[in-house]
Amino acid sequence: MVKINNSLLPLVTTALVASRALASFNAFPFSPGFDIQKVAEKAQSLPSHAWEWGTAAEALLELYNPELSVFSARPFPVPVVNYTEVLALSYAASKVVWGSSFDTFSRNNGAAGDPSSFGVSAVLIGKTNETFAKGADDTVTGLFNDVPRFANGAISHRASVPELWADWMYMVPPFLAYYAIDKGDGQLLQDTITQITLYREILQGNDTATPATNGIWKHIIGPQSQDTGHWSTGNAWAAAGMTRVLAAVTKSYAGPLTPAFHAQAVHLLTGYIKEIIDGAMGASLDDGLVRNYIDDEGNADGLGFGEISGSALLAGTIYRMAVLQPRVFGAQYVAWADAIRKTLGGADKDGNAHVTEDGIVTPAVNPLWWKDTNKYTKGSPEGQAFVVIMYTGWRDCVVAGYCPIKALQLHETWEYAVDELPVPKPGKGQILVKVKAAALNPADWKVRKYQVKVMIEAFPAILGSDVAGDVEAVGEGVDDFKVGDRVFYVAENWQDKGGYQQYAIANHELVAKIPDNVSYDEVATLPLALATAYSGLYAAFPHGIGLTPPAVAEGYGKYSGNGILVLGGASAVGQAVLQFARLSGFSPIIATASLKNAEALKKLGATHVISRDLSTDEVLAEISKITPKPIEYTYDAVIYDSTQQLAVDVVAHAPNGGTAAIATPNASPKVFSDKVKVAKIFGGVTPFNYELFKTLYHDALHGWVEKGLIIPNRVEVIPGGLNGIDSGLKRLEADEVSRLKLVVRPHETA
């Protein structure tokens, strides 16, 4: 046994988590519909056999250190790493039982192929550890010199008799290909492709009940354990193993293969994988899962039940192939894999969750006896790893843009629909944000109801102006944000930047970091309201009143002794105006609202609250009781015809007149004095307020929110993710929401 203290593994894991945090890598950026972290914990803890440990190590490598996986952009040359700081490698090293020849990594295993499941880990570890490097050499030599051969020359999976198992394809060829490329051994890489072809020659079925499934493989051919059935897990082992080889060959670039053989190998492997996947997709499912024996549709022998192991690994293979060979494995393949993934996120026909609270994925085939007719629910070690492998394939497929994300789009018919789109890519000066929370606004229902085309650049449009989330990627020239930063912002447009999607693009100059003392949901209530309020108060006339903003030193507290009237103080925009007015030093700050909200508004900056139901004369009378000075500034956040006129009439009573800011670019009050100016406000990002918003979002807002100078609105989270938006907008239209913001979490979309 390798001398690694198992008690140190949690410390290794902790160190790895810390190093990953420093490297700004998030292994779990997406939710597959179930708790993948708990599934991964079980994938690590359940194994007890060589192939299970080796497979778990591969799953952990793809999960936590994809940059070291063969599926990374540049896996070769094989990198030099400190394996004690890589969970997958330290895990593999701790499970080795030293032997010799083909079973160097698992003494007296009985299966000649299973020890090779440690092979890729051994090559990586071997860059800094001579024992593992020699172990990899000895394993390769033993496989070719000491293992029995089948009649056609295929290397046996078993050590004692020539017997071919589909399982061998995941253990041996990926190791041989990785080792060959690392060594620059073109002949060995060709021999690896030849061995795959020899296995296919014997195991491929072509004898199923329907032509649609003819590409699938038999499980075992040989004298000891023959199984001519088309075991789904065996087929998944074979397809997934060939996919790892294909990735290695594809990424070898100017490697040991001649261009002609390289092209031939890619063509052959892609075709072999497609045969199995097509065969599996051509068979009927059982309760949304691939059957234990793929074409056993009658299930007369009890072996045709749907199970998670083969299903998950086949789905994971599709996700990988969608990136490696997108022209071959297009949308229909991804849709099939997505259906499997979604099934795992749900429950079976009896209402049992496929993923338990402890992270056990069920039902599985018995991992030690494939002919067991009883569904296995204790947790299959290989099955757990397969689900992790499926997740990593899907995660990386989404990031690569070949697997879709969800977005709520407004179509030319003026109807909303949840659609699937590729992940947008950040350009120069941009960041990609995983949207954790998006708030609803009245404009979202008004645009649809009144078909306001001037607000839509093109169809389909993605609305959602209030956005909060995590930075997932940064574009060229962005050095003020890094992956993992929590951010919020007002969407710059209703196309790729709208918040009603799982990933959105933002301009880094118009983004604020979220302080640790507020949540995504809370901060998502702020952006559009703050933008509308700030633009109305501080943008140059006629787009705003033209006050000096408090984000600059000379503007903070500048307007002490000056009064302001805020109509609709309890609205989201009104609350924002109150808080900015306080930062600007205004006094008194008078708000109209329902008097039940008076105390809450005073906490936000209002010095006085008067009833929103008063007439113009009554409002003027109340103001005269509060202050002898005339009110020269008003802000109408309600924008009814009556409130627009009230905003104008109040400043008209000031001897020197004043400015009424009205929170709509379509304001139309009657003005009878040339001393009265009306600022018509647009809360979105425009050339006239771009620099203003830069100082607000990029420079000032984080500190103000952190110190409690800007306070988020109250929140109600609508369940269902993007699917809940339509019902929320109907509530806004019916005026059923008061002094709070409705928020959705796009990644909760089913």
Side-chain angles (χ1 to χ4, degrees), residues 441-455:
N441 286 289
D444 302 340
W445 68 260
K446 292 177 181 178
V447 164
R448 178 175 63 173
K449 181 173 182 178
Y450 301 115
Q451 300 185 6
V452 186
K453 288 187 177 181
V454 70
M455 299 284 286

Side-chain angles (χ1 to χ4, degrees), residues 338-380:
D338 280 344
I340 296 292
R341 177 175 53 81
K342 292 172 184 176
T343 295
L344 295 182
D348 64 19
K349 54 192 172 187
D350 296 321
N352 302 306
H354 284 297
V355 180
T356 69
E357 291 184 359
D358 295 330
I360 297 294
V361 191
T362 66
V365 59
N366 185 335
L368 301 180
W369 180 230
W370 45 89
K371 288 295 184 75
D372 191 343
T373 58
N374 297 306
K375 298 178 180 180
Y376 195 79
T377 58
K378 298 177 182 179
S380 163

Side-chain angles (χ1 to χ4, degrees), residues 175-236:
F175 164 49
L176 292 179
Y178 193 76
Y179 178 93
I181 295 170
D182 180 53
K183 297 292 187 181
D185 190 337
Q187 185 58 55
L188 178 57
L189 190 51
Q190 291 188 43
D191 291 343
T192 302
I193 305 300
T194 298
Q195 283 294 316
I196 291 172
T197 301
L198 293 175
Y199 258 73
R200 173 180 173 273
E201 182 180 287
I202 302 301
L203 293 181
Q204 190 180 51
N206 294 324
D207 59 354
T208 61
T210 62
T213 57
N214 269 346
I216 56 180
W217 288 21
K218 298 180 178 69
H219 182 200
I220 304 169
I221 298 296
Q224 197 173 68
S225 305
Q226 180 147 309
D227 177 16
T228 59
H230 306 107
W231 189 41
S232 64
T233 301
N235 276 271

Side-chain angles (χ1 to χ4, degrees), residues 407-419 443-449 451-453 455-456 458-464 494-495 500 726 729:
L408 183 75
Q409 297 198 111
L410 181 64
H411 290 268
E412 201 162 5
T413 59
W414 297 99
E415 294 298 325
Y416 282 115
V418 175
D419 300 318
D444 302 340
W445 68 260
K446 292 177 181 178
V447 164
R448 178 175 63 173
K449 181 173 182 178
Q451 300 185 6
V452 186
K453 288 187 177 181
M455 299 284 286
I456 306 296
F459 288 103
I462 301 173
L463 278 62
W494 280 348
Q495 304 304 135
Y500 292 165
D726 191 57
L729 294 180

